[in-house]
Each structure stands twice: as C-alpha cells, then as structure tokens.
C-alpha cells in the first residue's frame, strides 16, 4: 500500500484529542486508531504491544528485530489530532486534489505516520543487512498533555531492560511536519497562574477594602520589567533566539460597584535549550518579592514542556540529513518555535530529532492538507536511514 492510500485510511478514523475538556463520542480519543494500528501490525507479523497510558488512551508500539550489534532506532508518530471545530472541509472524508491530500491529521501527523509505517513495513519485508532493531511507537495524547511519550520514556528510564519495551534506544526520530528539514532544537514552555487577594467592599467606600486588581497591576508591571530584563540579558540560542515571558490573560472582580477581592493572571515563559525549566518559577518569585511590595500566590504550573537541545543530536541529525539530501535535495538543520515529543526524549539523555513530511503551516488548519509527493520522499528517506544505521558505538557520542 502506498503512503497516500494508508493516509486515507488513517484520516477516516477520527482520533480527536479532547484537549483537557469533557468530551464524549466515538470521534474523541485514540481508541479506534489504536485498534486499527494493532490490527495493522498484526497483519505485518511483528511483535506489538498496546499499553494503557490513561483511561481510553493507549500507546501502540511494535518492534522489528534487527541485528543486535546495530543501533536501536525509534520512529514515533502520535495518534491524536486537534479538534475539528471550524473546519471548511469534511475532516474525516479524505480526498485528493492537485497532488494534495485533504483531511484532519493529513499534515499533523497522520501523513507522517503513514510515511513511517510504510518505511517500517519495507524494513520488515526486506530485512536490510545493516539494520538494527526498529521500534515504531504510535503514542497517544501529544496535542495536549504529552502523556504517551512520557510513559514510553519512563519505561526506558526504568531498570527493566530485559524486555524490548524497556530497552533504551540509541536514536529517536519524532515525526512532525518539518517539510523534510531536520529540527534539532526548540524552546520549551512553562505556564502558570499568579493570584492576588484583597477585601471586597462597596465601591463607594474603596478605602475600607483592599483592591486585588491594584495589587495585581503592580505584579504585572514587575513582570513587564522582568520580561525586558530576560530578553536583554539572557544569552540567545543560535536557533531559538532569547528566552521570553508574556502575561497573556487577566481576570478579576465581580462587578464595577464592588472592590475586587481577587485577581489572576496567566503567564507563558519560553525556555531555551540548556535552560533549567525547574528554575523558571523560583526566579520569577524572587524577582517579584525583591521589587514588589504586595502579597501574591504562585500556583503550580499546568503546563511544562522541556526544550529540545541540540547538544547531543548532532550525529543523528547529520546522518539523517545525508539521506534527506540524496532523496529530496538539500535541506537544513533548524530550530522551531513549537514543542514536540522530542523534548521528553532529550531530557532522558537520548538523541532525538524531529523530522517529517508536510509543512507546519498546514497543521491544525481549517482545510488541512499535505503534498502527496512529500509522503513518498519521507518514506524513502527513512528506509535508507534505517538500512544504514551504522555501528552502535557511533551513536550518541
Ligand atoms: Zn503533531
């Protein structure tokens, strides 16, 4: 089956991530996609495991057993898509037009998954002499909580390596639409809330109360200064720019005639490769307490995505780039603004890069599509890369 035919089947199986909201109905969660993948790997005749990560959410992981003296490579593509609200095309009825294939997930990332599955099937069929173990991981919940990749990485970090699921891989390729460039670095993000409290009284007697919004205004000014300081003094990363901080939402008070007793803001702090994400909130806390004389509370973060560092993936990126160039022409190593599953892998000390067909410009869009030619190129590149995986000792050095 061609990658495009496979992609049509994948698009026709809804696997919407509810993005943390209450959602019911067969189009939500990855269950039907996991069923399909389990069957698909079964028909291919490879070992396959379906691992529950959360209720109704499974990773489906399959293994091709190659030469034990060669590197273990993981190909990862997530099963979920973003929601379909506002789409201008039928999301689950794939159709071809002008060399493009349309549907939800065509670009992010069922197209990439189709290319990876095609490459995996060719490796299983042809058993190239130079190929080590290839693990195809179809992870769940990438678009919201990244629970799927975390579960997989936890297994690699645990001491049980007697089973193939627990063996630490030598290299991981995370599929996202990179237009066949190789993403070697991206920023991470920490998001959290700060609250201030006050005392509510009638607005005709404000001096009897304590205005939580006035308190928050001083916090916000302090954060504006901190953001400026961060961009001026933080050492920029060549591919990812400077660290940043932004206050993105504010809310407080119940009525114009009541002095507000609470106010809250939401903060987005982008973390550079090499920065320690766990230091982000303590640093902000110290900055504010030294400069702003009001009480506030830092709530626990609801989102922490580690950065992807280019410190350990150079060799992997160069070897992949060589095959990209020979199949698709010159491409580059690059950094991007969005976060990926590669960050959790990198944080575990395992070389990881991001690579896949399609452009990020078409991901999550109302008329999502992918160029069919890119699917074929990506599959061919991956087959050549896996067939020429090198010696174990070369990887990760
Ligand atoms: Zn994606």
């Amino acid at each position: 089956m061609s990658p495009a035919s496979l992609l049509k089947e994948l698009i026709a199986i809804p696997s919407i991530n509810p993005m943390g909201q209450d959602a019911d109905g067969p189009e939500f969660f990855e269950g039907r996609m996991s069923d399909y993948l389990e069957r698909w790997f079964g028909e291919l005749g490879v070992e396959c495991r379906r691992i529950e990560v959360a209720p109704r959410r499974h990773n489906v992981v399959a293994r091709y057993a190659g030469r034990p003296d060669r590197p273990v490579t993981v190909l990862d593509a997530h099963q979920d898509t973003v929601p379909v609200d506002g789409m201008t095309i039928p999301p689950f009825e794939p159709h071809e037009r002008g060399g493009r294939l349309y549907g939800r997930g065509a670009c992010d990332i069922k197209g990439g998954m189709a290319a990876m599955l095609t490459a995996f099937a060719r490796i299983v069929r042809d058993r190239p002499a130079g190929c080590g173990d290839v693990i195809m991981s179809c992870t769940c919940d990438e678009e919201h909580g990244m629970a799927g990749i975390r579960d997989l990485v936890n297994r690699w970090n645990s001491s049980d390596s007697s089973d193939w699921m627990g063996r630490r891989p030598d290299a991981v390729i995370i599929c996202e639409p990179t237009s066949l460039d190789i993403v070697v670095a991206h920023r991470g993000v920490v998001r959290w809330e700060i609250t201030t409290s006050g005392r509510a009284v009638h607005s005709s007697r404000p001096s009897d109360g304590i205005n939580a919004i006035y308190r928050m205004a001083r916090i916000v000014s302090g954060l504006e200064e901190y953001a400026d300081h961060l961009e001026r003094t933080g050492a920029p990363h060549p591919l990812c720019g400077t660290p940043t901080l932004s206050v993105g939402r504010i809310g407080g008070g119940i009525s114009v005639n009541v002095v507000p007793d609470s106010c809250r803001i939401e903060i987005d702090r982008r973390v550079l490769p090499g920065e320690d994400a766990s230091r982000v909130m303590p640093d902000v806390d110290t900055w504010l307490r030294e400069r702003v004389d009001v009480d506030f509370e830092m709530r626990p973060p609801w989102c922490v995505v580690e950065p992807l560092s280019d410190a350990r993936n150079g060799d992997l990126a160069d070897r992949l780039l060589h095959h990209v160039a020979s199949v698709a022409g010159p491409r580059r190593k690059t950094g991007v603004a969005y976060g990926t599953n590669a960050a959790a892998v990198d944080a575990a000390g395992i070389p990881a890069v991001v690579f896949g067909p399609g452009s990020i410009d078409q991901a999550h869009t109302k008329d999502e599509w992918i160029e069919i030619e890119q699917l074929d190129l990506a599959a061919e590149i991956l087959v050549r890369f896996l067939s020429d995986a090198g010696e174990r000792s070369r990887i990760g050095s």
Side-chain angles (χ1 to χ4, degrees):
M1 193 185 282
S2 72
S5 307
L6 184 52
L7 174 55
K8 285 179 189 168
E9 297 200 3
L10 299 177
I11 288 172
I13 306 167
S15 54
I16 299 173
N17 193 319
M19 309 301 285
Q21 307 293 309
D22 279 339
D24 214 3
E27 66 272 36
F28 288 102
F29 296 102
E30 297 88 349
R32 292 169 60 196
M33 179 61 69
S34 300
D35 293 344
Y36 176 92
L37 290 165
E38 247 190 320
R39 262 198 322 275
W40 194 89
F41 287 123
E43 284 165 18
L44 197 61
V46 292
E47 289 177 90
C48 173
R49 305 264 174 85
R50 178 172 177 152
I51 299 127
E52 183 172 53
V53 172
R56 301 176 67 186
R57 317 202 83 149
H58 294 80
N59 287 341
V60 179
V61 186
R63 174 199 185 208
Y64 162 76
R67 272 177 54 173
D69 60 332
R70 294 298 167 106
V72 177
T73 308
V74 170
L75 307 180
D76 174 79
H78 59 87
Q79 299 176 52
D80 54 322
T81 70
V82 290
V84 298
D85 310 67
M87 285 189 81
T88 56
I89 56 167
F92 309 123
E93 294 162 33
H95 60 281
E96 247 180 272
R97 199 172 65 236
R100 298 173 175 177
L101 219 164
Y102 289 79
R104 176 52 90 221
C107 177
D108 187 3
I109 189 65
K110 292 179 176 178
M113 179 184 274
M116 280 190 161
L117 290 173
T118 301
F120 185 76
R122 280 177 56 186
I123 294 292
V124 171
R125 186 193 67 198
D126 297 345
R127 304 193 64 82
C131 187
D133 271 18
V134 181
I135 311 292
M136 178 75 218
S137 81
C138 302
T139 38
C140 60
D141 189 31
E142 191 271 345
E143 296 288 1
H144 186 66
M146 296 188 158
I149 195 70
R150 290 183 205 281
D151 183 87
L152 204 56
V153 169
N154 284 343
R155 285 167 199 277
W156 298 338
N157 279 338
S158 74
S159 53
D160 178 22
S161 59
S162 58
D163 180 66
W164 62 268
M165 279 291 301
R167 272 178 71 197
R168 277 171 80 82
D170 299 288
V172 179
I173 300 176
I174 300 289
C175 206
E176 290 295 345
T178 67
S179 304
L180 307 180
D181 283 331
I182 296 172
V183 171
V184 292
H186 60 65
R187 296 195 290 179
V189 64
V190 181
R191 293 188 178 131
W192 77 101
E193 196 176 279
I194 290 180
T195 58
T196 52
S197 302
R199 188 170 63 242
V201 294
H202 194 277
S203 61
S204 61
R205 294 180 285 108
S207 56
D208 291 349
I210 298 170
N211 189 316
I213 290 179
Y214 289 168
R215 287 183 163 182
M216 187 58 87
R218 294 167 66 186
I219 298 288
V220 171
S221 293
L223 289 172
E224 189 180 2
E225 280 169 33
Y226 180 78
D228 185 52
H229 162 83
L230 199 60
E231 288 193 51
R232 273 189 296 105
T233 60
H237 183 279
L239 295 174
C240 299
T242 58
T244 57
L245 180 142
S246 171
V247 176
R249 293 187 75 194
I250 185 164
I254 52 163
S255 172
V256 72
N257 61 353
V258 179
V259 170
D261 66 351
S262 72
C263 188
R264 52 180 284 276
I265 56 171
E266 293 179 6
I267 299 157
D268 173 295
R269 164 73 156 86
R270 299 290 163 152
V271 185
L272 287 190
E275 269 197 289
D276 180 356
S278 71
R279 290 299 316 155
V280 161
M281 288 178 56
D283 284 354
V284 169
D285 191 68
T286 303
W287 173 276
L288 289 175
R289 295 203 190 276
E290 283 173 357
R291 288 166 180 80
V292 184
D293 185 25
V294 295
D295 273 348
F296 61 90
E297 188 187 349
M298 307 263 283
R299 311 299 293 249
W302 79 81
C303 171
V304 179
V305 177
E306 300 88 350
L308 170 63
S309 162
D310 54 350
R312 63 171 69 84
N313 59 13
D315 178 57
L316 167 61
D318 288 341
R319 289 190 305 111
L320 184 56
L321 199 57
H322 165 76
H323 294 289
V324 173
S326 73
V327 173
R331 291 294 196 282
R332 59 201 179 105
K333 291 196 279 188
T334 182
V336 290
Y338 55 88
T340 74
N341 273 352
V345 179
D346 179 55
I350 300 168
V353 295
V354 186
F355 166 79
S359 163
I360 195 69
D361 296 343
Q362 276 86 49
H364 304 191
T365 54
K366 57 190 189 327
D367 62 342
E368 183 170 353
W369 54 266
I370 193 164
E371 263 180 48
I372 291 170
E373 188 196 12
Q374 290 244 323
L375 300 174
D376 299 321
L377 292 172
E380 178 63 25
I381 290 161
L382 290 168
V383 167
R384 292 194 191 189
F385 172 81
L386 293 166
S387 304
D388 175 28
E391 303 299 324
R392 277 210 81 160
S393 56
R394 277 184 53 206
I395 309 293
S397 54

